Amino acid sequence: DAMVIQNPRYQVTQFGKPVTLSCSQTLNHNVMYWYQQKSSQAPKLLFHYYDKDFNNEADTPDNFQSRRPNTSFCFLDIRSPGLGDAAMYLCATSSSGGYNEQFFGPGTRLTVL
Amino acid sequence: AQKVTQAQTEISVVEKEDVTLDCVYETRDTTYYLFWYKQPPSGELVFLIRRNSFDEQNEISGRYSWNFQKSTSSFNFTITASQVVDSAVYFCALYNQGGKLIFGQGTELSVKP
């Protein structure tokens, strides 16, 4: 089945220790998104790729970066995680514009010690 | 301003009851899209429906139905004969010319046996 896969599902890191979360898709969608979702809150868009074009949200901290080496893969790098970065990180994909439905992965729950 | 309001933070019903989740949106655009997503305890957001601003037809899919009314800027979601498996957080979202999905705060539905 075509899908969005996120690894790992659970990630524990130490304060200040860089961490990378990965997302892959078999849907061949050209748009990929990274969202941060904290407890009892709505998902918050961090950035997205439209093909190779990177679009950063204005309020996304510099601590968060992303790479998309090819259509299928996208990575979220947190350079120096703080306690406030503990959250669920959701990857999503869509074909063409965001007016098409987004397909979400199962998320990676990040714990910062 | 673009905004989605889900006034009901939590709803609790007993199995087989009907339940309506409210969604009110704000946008100045004439072309926009409305979505509902379900987020079960596992964490993955599941797409339920998309409606564009030019299509006010109500839709029914099994036990789910949606009522889109532009006059009141509402896009309400009704579950008929609720089941325990319907327990989840439900998000209403708006996509417009701004280029990103704007989520409401979500409604946590608890269906008790």
Side-chain angles (χ1 to χ4, degrees):
Chain A
D1 285 343
M3 55 199 306
V4 181
I5 302 162
Q6 290 188 246
N7 286 307
R9 294 291 309 277
Y10 301 90
Q11 176 73 58
V12 180
T13 190
Q14 291 181 335
F15 183 94
K17 186 174 181 181
V19 66
T20 294
L21 310 182
S22 73
C23 176
S24 63
Q25 55 131 340
T26 60
L27 297 161
N28 203 32
H29 285 165
N30 57 334
V31 191
M32 294 187 77
Y33 307 82
W34 279 105
Y35 290 88
Q36 179 193 64
Q37 186 179 27
K38 295 188 176 180
S39 183
S40 301
Q41 295 185 18
K44 177 181 179 295
L45 183 64
L46 296 173
F47 25 59
H48 75 276
Y49 278 92
Y50 196 116
D51 293 317
K52 294 185 177 181
D53 293 334
F54 177 69
N55 298 273
N56 198 29
E57 291 300 300
D59 57 354
T60 298
D62 293 340
N63 199 24
F64 290 83
Q65 297 184 340
S66 184
R67 296 169 282 136
R68 189 179 185 186
N70 54 52
T71 301
S72 301
F73 285 87
C74 195
F75 300 97
L76 169 61
D77 301 309
I78 308 177
R79 290 192 296 183
S80 181
L83 298 179
D85 296 328
M88 175 77 88
Y89 290 87
L90 297 164
C91 175
T93 73
S94 73
S95 61
S96 299
Y99 50 82
N100 289 317
E101 58 266 34
Q102 295 183 19
F103 294 83
F104 284 81
T108 294
R109 183 164 295 284
L110 178 68
T111 300
V112 182
L113 301 177
Chain B
Q2 330 291 344
K3 189 179 177 182
V4 176
T5 301
Q6 294 179 253
Q8 305 146 309
T9 306
E10 296 178 13
I11 300 176
S12 182
V13 299
V14 176
E15 209 170 18
K16 296 184 184 177
E17 284 186 26
D18 298 347
V19 58
T20 295
L21 283 61
D22 298 331
C23 173
V24 174
Y25 62 92
E26 294 176 32
T27 180
R28 292 180 182 172
D29 293 336
T30 55
T31 301
Y32 53 89
Y33 297 81
L34 296 164
F35 298 80
W36 275 96
Y37 283 88
K38 173 182 179 180
Q39 188 173 37
S42 59
E44 181 174 348
L45 272 87
V46 178
F47 165 78
L48 295 177
I49 189 172
R50 179 187 72 167
R51 258 293 177 258
N52 74 55
S53 51
F54 300 107
D55 183 3
E56 282 193 78
Q57 264 194 326
N58 292 329
E59 181 156 338
I60 298 174
S61 176
R63 296 184 297 107
Y64 295 172
S65 62
W66 290 270
N67 183 355
F68 177 25
Q69 292 196 346
K70 288 179 73 170
S71 59
T72 55
S73 296
S74 66
F75 186 43
N76 296 337
F77 172 31
T78 296
I79 302 175
T80 303
S82 60
Q83 299 176 1
V84 173
V85 293
D86 296 327
S87 296
V89 180
Y90 291 86
F91 289 98
C92 180
L94 165 72
Y95 181 90
N96 61 8
Q97 305 304 321
K100 70 178 184 182
L101 205 54
I102 299 164
F103 286 91
Q105 284 303 104
T107 296
E108 183 172 3
L109 174 65
S110 175
V111 181
K112 302 186 186 308

